[in-house]
Structures are given as structure tokens and as C-alpha cells.
């Protein structure tokens, strides 16, 4: 087939090919919507369960596990701003996966497998709403996505979030944020477990991400 006949066909196929490309969302940088947090109760534990965000993205690494203070743990809080493109893809049946990269483990890893969960959806994106506290303390859309081994393999680990997002409150331009968390059980937060951490990548192309793959 001559090039002048082939070119229109290729141009016609291009939009479909582009629309099938994964949409990759990463946590906002230098924002309290995402980072490493200190917590004293698991998600949904009520006011005071989450204490503070002490490290914001990007960082070289972020540790999850017990702290040196009994009853306090380190967790990842992952807020993603859903775009119009991402919303449209999900409404059309796209698959959503939360991907985190394990960098290493310390002292044999976490005392127990880590939990990976959707916390909230359709949350506001403004500093005066303190939505990051509401996501953890209230866990309005809490859905467990799976677990990560206590001493996991290095590299990427993916968790299917499609059904969890579909069953949660829809996002909108005014309430665009979806929150996830990676954390250890409260029972692990005792002195004897201090320093037992799973260490995650927290910068560059190994930043935690929400990958939305449209149907082909």
C-alpha cells in the first residue's frame, strides 16, 4: 500500500492507541495530602488516630512500621488528585492499580504483613479542609485491597483498586482526592518491635502511583 494511502489509516488509529495508554497519577509533592505519617490507631479509629505528616514526597525513602515510642506507628498516606481524564477512564471501565516500590527492609522487616487499603474518595483538596486527617481518622470508604509481606521482595508491588474505587464516593473537580494507606497492625506497635520497618521508594519513577489502564 502506498504511503499516501497508509497515512490516513494510521492517523485514524492514533486516538484509539493514545486513549488506551495508562494514566499514571503520583502523590502531589510537598503536600500534606501524601507522605509518611505517625498514627496511634488504625484507619477509622476516630479523632486523634493520625498525629501528623512528618515527611512529604519526594524523599529518598519512607519507612513503615513501629516507632521507638510504644503505641505509635509509621505509615504511608497516599493522596492522589483524580484528573478529568482519569475519571472518564474509570467510568468507562478502566482498571485501577495502586503500585508501591519496596526499597529494602530493616531488622527483618515489619513484625506482621502490612495492610494496603483505600481510605476515602471524593475528598476536598484544600489546606483548610484537613482532608488528610479525615481520610485516616474516619476511613469513610475504607476497603482493604490486600497485604504486603512483612519482609517483602524488593521492587514494585501492585494492588487492584478497581472495585474499591467504583464502590466509593465519586470524585469531582471540587472533590478530586482519593486516599490510600500502607500501614502495620496496631498490635505491632510495642517496644520490642521498634526499628522493624519496610522501606519504600519515595521519589522519581519509583514514587507510589495510581495506574489507570483504559479498556482496549
Amino acid at each position: 500500500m502506498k504511503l499516501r494511502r497508509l497515512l490516513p489509516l494510521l492517523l485514524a488509529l492514533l486516538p484509539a492507541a493514545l486513549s488506551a495508554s495508562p494514566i499514571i497519577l503520583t502523590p502531589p509533592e510537598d503536600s500534606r495530602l501524601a507522605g509518611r505519617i505517625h498514627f496511634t490507631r488504625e484507619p477509622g479509629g476516630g479523632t486523634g488516630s493520625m498525629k501528623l505528616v512528618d515527611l512529604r514526597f519526594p524523599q529518598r525513602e519512607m519507612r513503615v512500621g513501629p516507632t521507638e515510642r510504644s503505641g505509635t506507628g509509621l505509615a504511608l498516606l497516599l493522596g492522589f488528585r483524580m484528573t478529568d481524564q482519569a475519571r472518564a477512564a474509570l467510568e468507562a471501565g478502566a482498571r485501577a492499580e495502586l503500585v508501591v516500590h519496596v526499597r529494602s527492609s530493616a531488622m527483618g522487616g515489619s513484625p506482621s504483613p502490612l495492610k494496603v487499603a483505600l481510605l476515602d474518595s471524593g475528598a476536598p483538596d484544600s489546606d483548610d479542609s484537613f482532608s488528610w486527617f479525615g481520610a485516616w481518622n474516619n476511613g469513610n470508604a475504607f476497603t482493604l485491597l490486600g497485604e504486603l509481606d512483612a519482609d517483602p521482595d524488593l521492587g514494585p508491588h501492585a494492588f487492584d483498586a478497581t472495585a474499591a474505587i467504583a464502590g466509593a464516593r465519586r470524585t469531582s473537580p471540587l472533590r478530586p482526592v482519593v486516599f490510600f494507606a500502607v500501614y502495620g497492625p496496631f498490635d505491632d506497635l510495642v517496644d520490642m518491635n521498634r526499628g522493624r520497618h519496610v522501606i519504600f521508594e519515595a521519589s522519581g519513577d519509583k514514587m507510589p502511583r495510581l495506574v489507570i489502564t483504559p479498556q482496549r
Side-chain angles (χ1 to χ4, degrees), residues 129-147:
S129 72
F130 297 99
S131 58
W132 51 96
F133 284 106
W136 182 278
N137 294 343
N138 301 325
N140 289 323
F142 182 90
T143 306
L144 190 66
L145 304 182
E147 292 187 339

Side-chain angles (χ1 to χ4, degrees), residues 82 87 90-91 121-123 165-173 175-178:
M82 199 69 72
R87 274 191 290 274
L90 288 170
E91 290 174 2
S121 183
I165 292 176
R169 177 173 53 188
R170 288 191 177 186
T171 62
S172 68
R175 302 178 69 92
V177 182
V178 178

Side-chain angles (χ1 to χ4, degrees), residues 63-67 74 104-107 109-110 150 194-199:
R63 294 172 176 253
V64 171
T67 67
L74 303 173
S104 61
S105 296
M107 297 180 61
S110 172
R194 65 178 63 181
R196 296 190 60 181
H197 296 153
V198 176
I199 305 171

